[in-house]
Amino acid sequence: MAKFGDLAGGSVVEPEHARYGNPIMTADATGEEAAGRRPTGIPDKPGLEGLEATWSARWQADGTYAFDRSSPREGVYSIDTPPPTVSGELHIGHVFSYTHTDAVARFHRMRGKAVFYPMGWDDNGLPTERRVQNYYGVRCDPGLPYDPDFEPPADPPKEPVAISRPNFVELCLQLTIQDEKVFEQLWRTLGLSVDWAHTYATVGDVAQRASQRSFLRMLDRGHVYQRTAPTLWDIDFRTAVSQAELEDRERPGAYHRIAFPRADGPGPAVEIETTRPELLAACVALVAHPDDERYRPLFDTFVRTPLYGARVPVLAHELADPEKGSGIAMVCTFGDTTDVVWWRELHLPTRTLIGRDGRLLPVAWGTEGWESSDPVEAATHYDEVVGKTVRQAQTRVVEQLAESGAMIGEPLPITHPVKFYEKGERPLEIVSSRQWFVRTLPLRDKLLQRGEELNWFPPYMAHRFRTWVEGLNDDWNISRQRFFGVPFPVWYPVGPDGDADFAAPIPASEDQLPLDPSTEVPPGFTAEQRGVPGGFVGDPDVMDTWATSSLTPQIAGRWEDDPDLFARVFPMDLRPQAHDIIRTWLFSTVVRSEIEEGSLPWRNAAISGWVLDPNRKKMSKSKGNVVTPLPLLEQHGADAVRYWAANGRPGTDTAVDEGQMKVGRRLAIKVLNASRFALGRLADDAGQIDVPGPEAITAPLDKAMVAGLAGVVAEATTAFKGYDYARAIERTEAFFWSFCDDYLELVKTRAYGDPAQPGPASARAALALALSVQLRLFAPFLPFVTEEVWSWWRSGSVHRAAWPGQSELNEPATGADPAVLEVTAEVLGAVRRAKTTAKQSMRAPVAVLTVTDTRQRIDALQEATEDLKDAGGVAELVTVIGPESTIDVALAAPD
RNA sequence: GGGCGUUUAGCUCAGUUGGUUAGAGCGCAGCCUUCACACGGCUGAGGUCGGAGGUUCGAGUCCUCUAGCGCCCACCA
């Protein structure tokens, strides 16, 4: 199998030296071909069926898309391919955006670049965990020892089997390999020009080593730190969640107005409004705005919480909004992130009420931190809600408040945004926990600058990055309390009391990587010392999935495992991705590259839109409107599906449209048939194709066509350079249809003439040139059908042929008058219209065709008189120079 | 609350720095079958470019205001 270097003898010929973009793979070129002759392999009845299987196998065997790693960096075009989540559904959205990237990759490859186009698999994190749990019927219990003989149950049992973390990870790896094969097959069918020798994954040794190495370096340089602090917490997944994984959802709630009696003097009770009365026991203060005249006299006095009798201060803080509720808020530890700010900035005590499972924790009223004016009554009230979920607790607390008279009026229903983990089902709580953080806040200005330096396609996507960075309010929490993922490569000493000292982590050394601290032992310790006083304990957490996938340039480029390769591909040229993960994947990759390399990870970011269902609704599993790509590929063919995708402009959401796929299929078939037709003009009686060189293009009509084609090439090239593949295919396609409708019709008779004569020679040379150029223009979009046609008359792969350049078109287009083709096509159109109106066949003969027009246009028409008469079946053409522009078609009398 | 995008034919969308009668495909209607293509070809009907105002010789295109839709961000009491 071809890997690197096999093609070294066949680097892409520069357009300047290409005649019709001669292919580069000359290994099978014959002497005959060198002389411009080649036996044709044109089938009688060409079709699209089977092209995917034939050509994807051939490309693999020939190493058509192999990366030439001998190329210096300036000769490389490198792509930071998004790794699809293999545990997820195969999704038409994948096909959409990967087609865009593939078209761009093919363009740069044809432009002579060594294209580094790897494929990655994202098999890290929670989605994989969940899939493994359901697929095998297991659950991870990190306390269990590894069982080397464990086999998953044949059928997933109702009650999940508890297995050790290493066993669980083994199953994750096993299942992801299966999933990866399904994806690879899809990509091959779609015709992605990926170099399959360069795959990577976000789990496995390479990724883990890169991720852990980067972590150790960040630790060494002070870019990461641990903090025990209030953290956004998903009570179902039982893990911390970072700011980037949050989303707001509108949820119904209610304002409850609650009266707090004064604790240290006379005066009316202070009324607050809260949506979370169940947190009353965790109340540590009331807060109002410092300028709020209503509450100013109360500052630094005390009130008592209803039900529990806790004495809490009334304090001033600017975040308190006089407009909201009663203008004074209850601070609980913790109801929302504002509470955390108040708690931190006003140095309030902590009353932890919510456990990691989202239930109310037991409280010893009357003890330190839980002081009460009446501990017995407090306990009586609290005993009714302890152990309940927040929802259940809220119901009971509201009843208690009403019974006690502290509730003022009825709850006022509202709808308000509540923070959720984007994959979660219940609102996030805030619990105190120990987490690892990357210091991103100090990098903010630098990151904003990097965002400016990056070329965004479309440009307005830069706003999303900037808004996100400007809105950062905390460092990046990279630890997750899960099992499958990259473990933190650190241990902690265990003190004589048996408690781990998290403040003194023992880092692994880089040469130990990758490692799992739950099974491996830190330097200077023995396995027997794990978990015992005076010994050590491994960090129990794993890294956030983005903490690893933010290193895809390093992982795919093999970073320090292969510094030579890394130097040739980094910083990469392109990051293609969807807009929904700008704040996660794009942002975190920029952060890591800034920390590791002090540079942007890539120069360009091409942001694709989403695929919507045929009714323009966002696809989601829960709605059941997810469209899977394989049936569409089978029904319409890969080129047709790619055609639909390529017409989705960068950054624009696009609906699944089978109509567009049918159009794409028709286009692919047209390419087959038109090519067959044109090549039929080029083959001699022996089936040999003998094409005159472009210097034979002398007829004004042919020159006009070539000039038009040159314009299309220029436009498509410019568009591709700006990542506007959609414009490139649109212009190419428009030209191709008029080429078929008008030009082919006009020259088909002349091209059959004596090849030794200038007219036929010109037509034949122009046909060959136009066909070659158009096949190459279509190649990034329709890789299968263009390769099929290319194989009929050229050697090598069209995908390794040179992108058409001005040089091969400028000369034959010299002195061209575009009007010759324009006017002639217009007149031909009028002839067709006349025949249609008369309900005649297109072959119906025309007795006299009279064209009246300006001298200039008549002169242009005169240059193609014979072609026009042949194409229109015109017996006599009369031209009149006059002020008006008329075309009169006199059909011959029917027999 | 702040910001971004979008609004052009029944549908999906082009329209590049303002420049003649606003384009394409689908759909629709009609016509044409053996000589590349019925998995086809040709032809046609169809739009006062969301609304209002302004700049200009000239506005789908630039400016202001405004409405609908979609999205991003935000300290959610």
Side-chain angles (χ1 to χ4, degrees), chain A residues 305-316:
Chain A
T305 57
L307 305 183
Y308 309 111
R311 186 169 179 269
V312 298
V314 180
L315 301 172

Side-chain angles (χ1 to χ4, degrees), chain A residues 14-39:
Chain A
E14 289 303 310
E16 288 73 39
H17 307 295
R19 180 207 248 195
Y20 310 148
N22 272 325
I24 49 96
M25 288 173 38
T26 53
D28 60 338
T30 63
E32 229 180 13
E33 185 195 353
R37 293 176 64 88
R38 174 182 168 76

Side-chain angles (χ1 to χ4, degrees), chain A residues 345-408:
Chain A
E345 296 188 2
L346 298 173
H347 308 289
L348 298 169
T350 309
R351 294 198 176 116
T352 302
L353 205 66
I354 308 291
R356 296 189 174 195
D357 57 358
R359 290 172 183 274
L360 270 63
L361 295 166
V363 166
W365 289 99
T367 63
E368 192 187 341
W370 296 94
E371 290 84 2
S372 168
S373 58
D374 188 345
V376 175
E377 192 187 322
T380 307
H381 284 127
Y382 192 77
D383 282 350
E384 293 184 35
V385 293
V386 67
K388 288 188 190 294
T389 65
V390 291
R391 275 183 88 96
Q392 296 163 342
Q394 183 179 97
T395 307
R396 184 57 197 142
V397 168
V398 168
E399 290 167 0
Q400 291 174 341
L401 285 168
E403 288 158 11
S404 72
M407 179 78 78
I408 311 296

Side-chain angles (χ1 to χ4, degrees), chain A residues 333-516:
Chain A
T333 55
F334 297 94
D336 61 35
T337 51
T338 315
D339 283 341
V340 178
V341 174
W342 282 325
W343 168 80
R344 191 168 57 226
E345 296 188 2
L346 298 173
H347 308 289
L348 298 169
T350 309
R351 294 198 176 116
T352 302
L353 205 66
I354 308 291
R356 296 189 174 195
D357 57 358
R359 290 172 183 274
L360 270 63
L361 295 166
V363 166
W365 289 99
T367 63
E368 192 187 341
W370 296 94
E371 290 84 2
S372 168
S373 58
D374 188 345
V376 175
E377 192 187 322
T380 307
H381 284 127
Y382 192 77
D383 282 350
E384 293 184 35
V385 293
V386 67
K388 288 188 190 294
T389 65
V390 291
R391 275 183 88 96
Q392 296 163 342
Q394 183 179 97
T395 307
R396 184 57 197 142
V397 168
V398 168
E399 290 167 0
Q400 291 174 341
L401 285 168
E403 288 158 11
S404 72
M407 179 78 78
I408 311 296
E410 289 296 308
L412 176 69
I414 55 157
T415 303
H416 63 153
V418 179
K419 282 196 192 313
F420 280 73
Y421 174 37
E422 58 188 0
K423 298 189 172 73
E425 285 166 7
R426 286 198 279 179
L428 292 172
E429 295 295 340
I430 295 174
V431 308
S432 206
S433 58
R434 185 190 58 84
Q435 308 284 343
W436 283 102
F437 289 83
V438 177
R439 290 185 205 279
T440 47
L441 291 180
L443 293 176
R444 191 197 311 250
D445 289 345
K446 194 72 193 169
L447 296 173
L448 287 171
Q449 185 193 327
R450 294 299 185 206
E452 298 295 320
E453 292 167 12
L454 186 61
N455 298 313
W456 296 81
F457 301 96
Y460 60 80
M461 289 294 178
H463 294 298
R464 298 210 182 176
F465 180 83
R466 196 184 62 240
T467 314
W468 171 251
V469 175
E470 284 172 349
L472 286 177
N473 57 30
D474 196 4
D475 286 328
W476 174 18
N477 179 354
I478 56 165
S479 44
R480 296 292 178 271
Q481 290 63 52
R482 303 298 307 175
F483 319 112
F484 184 57
V486 174
F488 288 87
V490 293
W491 298 267
Y492 305 97
V494 175
D497 54 358
D499 289 339
D501 180 5
F502 292 111
I506 308 165
S509 65
E510 283 196 20
D511 54 21
Q512 288 179 282
L513 305 179
L515 68 77
D516 182 346

Side-chain angles (χ1 to χ4, degrees), chain A residues 65 73 113 152 270 273 277 321 427 527 600:
Chain A
Y65 308 122
R73 178 64 190 85
K113 294 284 190 183
V270 181
E273 288 195 0
D321 181 355
L600 272 177

Side-chain angles (χ1 to χ4, degrees), chain A residues 18 157 185 209-210 230 340 392 394 397 447 470 507 538 571 581 583 617 627 639 696 760 858 862 875 892:
Chain A
Q185 189 49 48
R209 189 159 50 235
V340 178
Q392 296 163 342
Q394 183 179 97
V397 168
L447 296 173
E470 284 172 349
I581 51 176
R583 68 173 180 172
K617 295 275 176 271
V627 177
D639 284 339
I858 292 296
Q862 298 283 9

Side-chain angles (χ1 to χ4, degrees), chain A residues 16 46 132 212 323 335 344 624:
Chain A
E16 288 73 39
V132 165
Q212 291 183 327
E323 302 295 314
R344 191 168 57 226

